[in-house]
């Protein structure tokens, strides 16, 4: 770990350093991924990762955390998530108990007491800011959250500080490495995007995917892996409802190993295609276009 | 404060950003500053890292990447001149390029799938075969630059990917590459149709890739001669969202289709959110009291009754004649995505007759098949096969008088070109009067409305008409119009 000119600690030395260290923890990064991770770290900006499901967006955050031996704090967004779930909340029940237990005490003392650290429930965003150890903050599926939460994120990710009226402003002692993921079910606001570096994570090229399969499913013979990646590439070229992603490639490889198949002939493909294609209409289309009947 | 740099790297970056803006990629000054910070952090000699780094700082959505890449290649070119690598063109004894040997080499590289070597070959092909010399015809341009690669024969006046690809004809190599691949298979056993099909598609993709390499290399060499501004103006394709439906080429259409598909999902989420927020129901006493148990009987959080979702009806009238084919395809994609949002959606298609096609839009149905099916429906074409709006509206009002009620939103899609037939304004205004909302989406630019046989102005007086030329406009219009 190094420090840059402004005294801030940085996690990586160079883009190549990112590649090697991520590879050590089992994440094979493309140039695009490695470069943006490096820059997000150096410039101290959050990284917004967009892309289809199953290309390894969440996995990237986990890998960065593991490679830099930082703690991973995860905020899973969903419809209706609010400040109380994302930032902090006062523990009402405990406060009431405290008030009831201190019958007869001065009001001032009680008031100061019930709004203290003890009654504060920290949620992921505040947790990440208060941590003193190196931290990776993952805001997962940002597009699922409502627009109001984006405003909250803007404030927090802008200067990494949170104001709790009763306690004062809490500023991050060191900026967490922040990663936001999005499946692009809706456009995130321009203001949020402007504060982030943007990475569109797409399906890897054949060469990289082959290496991914080899590292994740080492039992699979090399020739078979190559054939498998080739078929996946062709399937992605078809106009399917849900194109197979990297995780499906790995699943397929595992399936072949589990079934003990050593060649990928027509019967094997027909039997295991369901692992890769999740819609019936896609199965029908793939079988007819690739003459699998 | 330092002077504004007029030259050097900062000025070059600003120049690049301005080119992006000219191609409808909105880059703010903040992003430009980020990009400068990126350049300061990265090793500028690693071109791919610089490309990804600048993309991360400057782009905000994935559809912009193609434009960015094309402009990046122009502003941060790989090098000047031929930039030849290890793969060289084979030359015949008389100094001209040996096309047969070249094709052998290409077939072999395609079979290997060696991307790096293919890139180098593409560069060599453009250098050797793509040059257009000033005085000579293109025929000798190929041979001429063969002998004088170092410029002895005079500098070429331009480069043509058409000329380069025309002599190599990579498409015709498909069968050969496949045969080559087959012979490499173990034991020479006959391949199954499936394996054969996979190999064919993969080879076809590689050939297309090679064509793209040649084209981008041509753009790079051409920009050295014509200047990059000129190359950027003509050589960089528009973003899919900004492309006109009616004038899109085949590959843009495919691109556009991929962009439109998620639009339906975007709209559906937006509608759902708007509906959720539209109004809250009355306070639910039972659940409020229940929840107050956790706060010692003090009702801190009020619970509201959920409003019953009123699902609106939608009736769609689509012109599917040849003139608006591209457009209706996209609208139907959107409609299909929105199906689940509406309790009742009815889809009618017309040319000069009118048919109901609602039953064809089952979830997951392939749109290509649906459209073929639509065109084979009896009744769609009643007379000539040229669109006749008046006759179609007549038929619609007569055959399905109960389709449009006071709960219905009516959407008409078409260019309003009636081929000089009676527009049947009376019939349409009768239908519109009955509907709750009515809107017309027109894929033609607004300034062409009312010209020639267009009855857009007349129809526009009956119901509001919206210009809907690009995917971006389509999403905006549909998102704004759809009732909650």
């Amino acid at each position: 770990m190094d420090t840059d000119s402004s005294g801030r600690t940085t996690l990586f030395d160079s883009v190549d350093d990112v590649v090697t260290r991520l590879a050590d923890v089992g994440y094979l990064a493309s140039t695009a991924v490695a470069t943006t991770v490096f820059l997000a770290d150096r410039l101290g900006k959050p990284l917004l990762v967009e892309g289809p499901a199953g290309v390894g967006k969440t996995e990237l955050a986990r890998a960065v955390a593991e490679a830099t031996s930082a703690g991973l704090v995860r905020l899973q967004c969903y419809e209706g998530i609010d400040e109380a779930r994302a930032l902090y909340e006062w523990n009402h029940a405990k406060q009431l108990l405290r008030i009831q237990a201190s019958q007869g005490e001065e009001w001032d003392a009680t008031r100061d007491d019930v709004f203290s650290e003890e009654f504060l429930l920290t949620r992921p965003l505040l947790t990440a800011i208060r941590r003193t150890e190196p931290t990776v903050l993952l805001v997962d599926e940002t597009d699922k959250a409502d627009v109001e939460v984006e405003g909250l994120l803007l404030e927090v990710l802008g200067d990494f500080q949170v104001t709790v009226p009763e306690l004062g402003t809490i500023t991050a002692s060191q900026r967490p490495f922040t990663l936001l993921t999005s499946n692009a079910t809706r456009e995130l606001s321009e203001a949020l995007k402007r504060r982030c570096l943007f990475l569109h994570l797409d399906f890897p090229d054949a060469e990289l995917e082959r290496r991914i399969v080899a590292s994740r499913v080492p039992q699979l013979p090399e020739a078979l892996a190559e054939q498998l990646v080739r078929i996946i590439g062709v399937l992605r070229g078809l106009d399917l409802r849900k194109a197979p992603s990297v995780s499906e490639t790995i699943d397929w490889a595992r399936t072949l190993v589990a079934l003990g198949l050593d060649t990928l002939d027509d019967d094997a493909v027909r039997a295991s295609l369901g692992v890769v294609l999740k819609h019936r209409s896609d199965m029908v289309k793939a079988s007819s276009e690739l003459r699998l009947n | 404060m330092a002077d504004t740099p007029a030259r050097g790297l900062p000025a070059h970056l600003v120049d690049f950003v301005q080119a992006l803006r000219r191609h409808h990629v909105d880059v703010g000054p903040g992003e430009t500053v980020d990009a400068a910070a990126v350049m300061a952090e990265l090793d500028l000699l690693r071109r791919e890292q610089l490309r990804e780094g600048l993309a991360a700082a400057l782009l905000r959505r994935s559809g912009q990447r193609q434009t960015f890449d094309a402009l990046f290649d122009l502003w941060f070119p790989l090098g000047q001149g031929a930039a030849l690598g290890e793969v060289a063109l084979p030359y015949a004894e008389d100094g001209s390029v040996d096309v047969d040997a070249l094709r052998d080499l290409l077939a072999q590289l395609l079979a290997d799938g060696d991307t790096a070597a293919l890139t180098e070959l593409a560069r060599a092909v453009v250098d050797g075969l793509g040059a257009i010399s000033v005085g000579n015809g293109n025929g000798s341009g190929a041979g001429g630059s063969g002998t004088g690669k170092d410029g002895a024969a005079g500098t070429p006046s331009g480069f043509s990917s058409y000329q380069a690809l025309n002599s190599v004809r990579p498409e015709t190599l498909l069968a050969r590459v496949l045969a080559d691949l087959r012979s490499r298979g173990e034991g020479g056993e006959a391949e199954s149709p499936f394996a054969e099909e996979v190999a064919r598609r993969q080879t076809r993709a590689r050939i297309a890739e090679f064509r793209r390499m040649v084209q981008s290399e041509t753009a790079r060499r051409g920009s050295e001669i014509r200047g990059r501004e000129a190359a950027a103006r003509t050589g960089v394709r528009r973003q899919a969202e900004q492309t006109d439906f009616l004038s899109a080429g085949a590959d843009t259409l495919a691109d556009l289709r991929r962009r439109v598909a998620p639009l339906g999902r975007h709209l559906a989420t937006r509608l759902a959110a708007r509906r959720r927020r539209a109004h809250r129901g009355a306070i639910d006493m039972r659940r409020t009291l229940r929840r107050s148990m956790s706060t010692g009987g003090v009702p801190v959080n009020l619970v509201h009754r959920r409003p019953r979702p009123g699902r609106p009806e939608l009736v769609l009238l689509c012109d599917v004649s040849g003139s608006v084919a591209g457009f209706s395809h996209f609208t139907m994609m959107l409609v299909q995505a929105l199906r689940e949002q509406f309790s009742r959606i009815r889809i009618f298609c017309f040319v000069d007759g009118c048919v109901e096609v609602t039953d064809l839009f089952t979830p997951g149905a392939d749109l290509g098949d649906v459209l073929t099916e639509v065109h084979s429906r009896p009744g769609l074409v009643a007379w000539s096969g040229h669109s006749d709006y008046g006759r179609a509206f007549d038929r619609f009002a007569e055959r399905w008088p109960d389709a449009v009620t006071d709960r219905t939103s009516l959407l008409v899609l078409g260019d309003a070109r009636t081929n000089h037939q009676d527009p049947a304004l009376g019939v349409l205004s009768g239908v519109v009067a009955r509907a709750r909302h009515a809107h017309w989406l027109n894929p033609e630019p607004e300034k062409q409305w009312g010209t020639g046989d267009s009855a857009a102005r007349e129809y526009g007086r009956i119901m509001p008409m919206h210009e809907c030329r690009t995917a971006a406009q389509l999403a905006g219009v549909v998102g704004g119009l759809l009732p909650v």
Side-chain angles (χ1 to χ4, degrees):
Chain A
M1 198 169 298
D2 267 341
T3 54
D4 67 2
S5 48
S6 62
R8 213 168 47 77
T9 49
T10 54
L11 304 170
F12 298 102
D13 297 333
S14 66
V15 177
D16 297 326
D17 184 39
V18 179
V19 175
T20 14
R21 281 167 67 187
L22 288 184
D24 286 345
V25 295
Y27 190 95
L28 300 174
S30 62
T31 317
V33 171
T35 311
T36 40
V37 166
F38 173 70
L39 287 171
D41 172 40
R42 277 300 165 110
L43 305 181
K45 293 193 110 196
L47 176 57
L48 171 64
V49 190
E50 204 177 271
V55 288
K57 300 189 288 293
T58 310
E59 191 64 17
L60 174 61
R62 189 203 56 72
V64 171
E66 201 179 326
T68 58
S69 42
L72 179 66
V73 178
R74 177 171 175 169
L75 171 65
Q76 175 71 46
C77 293
Y78 51 86
E79 236 174 64
I81 189 172
D82 57 1
E83 217 164 296
R85 297 280 151 206
L87 204 51
Y88 71 90
E89 192 176 21
W90 289 106
N91 191 340
H92 289 305
K94 203 171 169 189
Q95 283 174 328
L96 284 171
L97 279 175
R98 172 75 187 78
I99 292 168
Q100 280 167 2
S102 64
Q103 296 282 330
E105 230 177 80
E106 284 291 308
W107 161 242
D108 278 348
T110 315
R111 184 194 58 198
D112 293 344
D113 199 39
V114 292
F115 287 110
S116 61
E117 294 270 331
E118 194 190 343
F119 300 96
L120 189 71
L121 296 173
T122 59
R123 303 295 186 201
L125 287 181
L126 187 57
T127 311
I129 285 178
R130 297 210 318 171
R131 275 174 64 100
T132 45
E133 309 86 74
T135 308
V136 173
L137 170 63
L138 166 65
V139 183
D140 216 354
E141 309 199 316
T142 317
D143 50 336
K144 294 263 175 64
D146 302 316
V147 185
E148 294 82 11
V149 177
E150 271 183 38
L152 178 72
L153 282 175
L154 275 183
E155 191 188 332
V156 175
L157 301 182
D159 15 77
F160 286 97
Q161 62 177 34
V162 172
T163 306
V164 182
E166 296 84 357
L167 291 181
T169 304
I170 301 170
T171 312
S173 55
Q174 59 172 359
R175 291 196 159 203
F177 180 94
T178 312
L179 212 142
L180 296 91
T181 74
S182 159
N183 284 330
T185 50
R186 81 179 161 82
E187 286 273 348
L188 299 176
S189 71
E190 286 294 318
L192 181 63
K193 285 185 172 178
R194 203 166 303 129
R195 276 167 183 72
C196 303
L197 290 175
F198 180 77
L199 168 65
H200 180 77
L201 202 54
D202 217 332
F203 302 123
D205 58 20
E207 162 66 24
L208 183 58
E209 190 156 27
R210 226 167 16 236
R211 278 167 46 212
I212 293 174
V213 171
S215 88
R216 285 306 181 85
V217 194
Q219 309 91 313
L220 194 73
E222 203 172 310
L224 201 54
E226 192 179 331
Q227 206 180 351
L228 183 123
V229 169
R230 210 170 63 207
I231 296 175
I232 291 278
V234 170
L235 284 174
R236 282 186 193 141
L238 296 174
D239 193 11
L240 297 177
R241 275 180 75 190
K242 167 80 180 74
S245 64
V246 184
S247 54
E248 268 127 21
T249 313
I250 295 172
D251 281 350
W252 201 15
R254 291 211 175 108
T255 311
L256 294 181
V257 171
L259 291 176
L261 296 170
D262 47 3
T263 54
L264 201 52
D265 55 13
D266 289 19
D267 289 328
V269 173
R270 219 171 283 141
S272 57
L273 200 59
V275 180
V276 192
L277 301 178
K278 303 292 169 66
H279 290 284
R280 223 193 74 83
S281 58
D282 284 354
M283 296 271 283
V284 173
K285 184 164 188 173
S287 320
S288 74
E289 291 220 4
L290 299 181
R291 296 193 286 163
L292 201 54
N293 295 319
Chain B
M1 186 150 178
D3 290 331
T4 329
R7 53 182 65 219
L9 211 47
H12 189 68
L13 178 66
V14 171
D15 204 30
F16 176 57
V17 165
Q18 275 164 354
L20 281 172
R21 286 188 193 139
R22 275 196 294 277
H23 285 85
H24 302 280
V25 179
D26 298 318
V27 183
E31 276 105 332
T32 317
V33 173
D34 283 349
V38 163
M39 289 178 106
E41 288 289 348
L42 288 177
D43 181 358
L44 292 182
L45 295 179
R46 307 282 291 270
R47 184 162 172 268
E48 282 314 303
Q49 290 182 9
L50 181 64
R51 180 199 295 266
E52 301 298 342
L54 286 182
L58 294 172
L59 299 188
R60 289 296 166 258
R61 56 183 62 92
S62 40
Q64 300 168 335
R65 187 57 199 250
Q66 226 175 7
T67 312
F68 173 86
D69 275 345
L71 288 172
F72 182 87
D73 284 338
L74 291 177
W75 258 257
F76 300 89
L78 203 51
Q80 302 277 323
L84 294 181
E86 286 172 9
V87 181
L89 291 185
Y91 288 98
E93 279 172 11
D94 62 347
S96 64
V97 176
D98 184 350
V99 174
D100 287 331
L102 172 61
R103 281 166 57 84
D104 289 342
L105 178 62
L106 180 59
Q108 194 199 334
L109 290 179
L110 284 171
D112 292 344
D114 186 344
T115 319
L118 278 174
T119 317
E120 288 187 2
L121 185 63
R123 279 187 208 135
V125 164
V126 172
D127 186 57
L129 294 172
I132 308 169
S133 338
V134 190
N136 311 343
N138 11 348
S140 61
S145 58
T147 44
K149 254 200 307 182
D150 300 319
T155 45
S157 64
F159 288 90
S160 154
S161 60
Y162 174 76
Q163 180 185 308
L165 288 170
N166 219 16
S167 40
V168 187
R169 295 194 314 279
E171 301 78 9
T172 53
L173 288 173
L174 181 62
R176 230 166 96 186
V177 175
L178 284 180
D180 188 12
L181 283 175
R182 209 174 303 139
S183 67
R184 287 185 200 187
E186 301 99 37
E189 58 191 87
E191 296 244 328
S192 69
F194 170 69
E196 176 113 20
E197 188 65 31
V198 168
R200 171 172 301 130
R201 279 166 189 266
Q202 193 191 19
T203 311
R204 223 183 269 149
R206 276 185 196 154
I207 291 176
E209 182 65 33
F210 179 72
R211 290 186 68 99
R212 262 197 302 282
M213 288 170 183
V214 169
Q215 276 156 0
S216 74
E217 173 69 5
T218 314
R220 183 179 77 82
R221 299 297 298 277
S223 74
E224 287 170 12
I225 296 170
R226 292 184 296 146
R228 57 172 170 254
E229 304 285 343
R233 253 200 312 282
T234 52
V236 179
R237 261 175 38 194
R238 286 202 211 181
Q239 290 174 57
E241 277 183 15
Q242 309 282 348
T243 316
D244 270 20
F245 287 123
L246 299 181
S247 62
D251 51 344
T252 326
L253 272 182
D255 198 15
L256 203 46
R257 212 165 292 145
R258 273 194 295 279
R259 300 285 305 160
V260 169
L263 276 184
R265 211 163 28 122
H266 286 193
L267 286 175
T269 24
R270 206 186 301 166
L271 277 181
R274 206 201 292 168
R275 195 175 298 161
R276 229 186 2 261
R277 232 164 284 146
H279 51 117
R280 283 169 141 188
I283 291 176
D284 185 337
M285 279 313 283
R286 198 187 66 81
R287 285 174 57 217
T288 303
L289 288 178
R290 185 91 186 84
R291 194 165 290 186
S292 73
M293 294 293 125
S294 67
T295 48
V298 186
V300 174
N301 298 316
L302 293 183
V303 184
H304 295 264
R305 253 183 245 286
R306 297 238 166 75
R308 273 162 46 93
R311 304 234 284 176
E313 291 178 11
L314 186 66
V315 167
L316 216 69
L317 270 168
C318 307
D319 182 356
V320 288
S321 65
S323 59
V324 289
F327 173 63
S328 47
H329 190 138
F330 290 109
T331 353
M332 286 192 201
M333 273 177 86
L334 266 187
V335 168
Q336 189 175 28
L338 286 170
R339 266 188 69 98
E340 289 158 18
Q341 294 295 313
F342 293 88
S343 56
R344 276 171 60 81
I345 180 165
R346 294 183 74 176
I347 305 165
F348 299 89
C349 289
F350 63 87
V351 175
D352 56 357
C354 186
V355 288
E356 174 162 13
V357 292
T358 314
D359 54 308
L360 296 179
F361 285 85
T362 50
D366 185 78
L367 265 180
D369 296 348
V370 170
L371 277 178
T372 329
E373 194 80 6
V374 165
H375 281 282
S376 63
R377 280 271 158 118
L380 181 68
V381 177
W383 300 92
S384 56
H386 297 296
S387 51
D388 179 346
Y389 282 70
R391 204 184 286 275
F393 290 146
D394 261 342
R395 171 102 179 119
F396 172 69
E398 178 192 323
R399 175 92 167 69
W400 295 278
D402 55 343
V404 175
T405 67
D406 58 353
R407 291 178 53 204
T408 310
S409 299
L410 176 70
L411 225 50
V412 184
L413 319 169
D415 56 3
R417 297 212 167 263
T418 57
N419 291 310
H420 301 291
Q421 304 289 325
D422 171 27
L425 297 171
V427 180
L428 187 64
S429 39
V431 175
V432 170
R434 250 181 294 144
R436 190 160 74 157
H437 306 283
H439 294 277
W440 189 305
L441 309 187
N442 193 332
E444 279 194 340
E446 191 162 354
K447 58 177 184 287
Q448 287 176 22
W449 294 2
T451 59
D453 61 345
S454 166
R457 297 284 172 210
E458 285 86 343
Y459 285 131
R461 277 193 281 278
I462 299 178
M463 57 205 287
M465 190 172 280
H466 308 270
E467 181 189 88
C468 207
R469 282 161 57 204
T470 63
Q473 270 181 341
L474 178 65
V477 169
V478 175
L481 291 186
L482 285 175
V484 178

